[in-house]
Amino acid sequence: AQSLSEVDAMLPRRVKRKRMRTDENGTELGWEEYFDYHFPNDEDANAGNLKILEMAAKWKARQQAQAESSSSDDDDSDED
């Protein structure tokens, strides 16, 4: 019974998704629904999403640092 539950946990989950269909000319044909399968043990798929989030966090920190440095430059020019 325990091995059966372990196998059930490894079975893929069916996920319904939508994507925009286009023809060769780039004309939109409408939305297409399709089924995608998510495998719980597939760590590579999740690693890509985490990397995107990590890169976004670094970008945001860089933007804030640039905004702070530009605002401190503005403050210095006001004192003269």
Side-chain angles (χ1 to χ4, degrees):
Q2 184 181 1
S3 62
L4 184 60
S5 63
E6 290 175 3
V7 170
D8 280 342
M10 290 189 285
L11 288 175
R13 194 176 77 228
R14 191 166 87 161
V15 180
K16 190 175 189 178
R17 298 186 184 229
K18 291 183 182 181
R19 61 181 162 212
M20 179 59 72
R21 293 255 322 182
T22 57
D23 62 1
E24 297 83 24
N25 300 328
T27 307
E28 294 179 354
L29 299 175
W31 290 96
E32 173 189 24
E33 291 184 348
Y34 67 100
F35 290 103
D36 197 11
Y37 293 92
H38 178 266
F39 292 87
N41 294 342
D42 192 9
E43 296 176 6
D44 294 334
N46 292 333
N49 293 338
L50 293 176
K51 186 164 183 134
I52 289 173
L53 291 174
E54 182 182 326
M55 290 172 58
K58 287 180 183 178
W59 176 83
K60 186 176 180 180
R62 229 179 310 131
Q63 294 294 323
Q64 288 177 344
Q66 287 178 354
E68 289 174 2
S69 67
S70 67
S71 67
S72 66
D73 291 344
D74 293 341
D75 293 342
D76 293 342
S77 64
D78 293 339
E79 292 175 3
D80 291 337

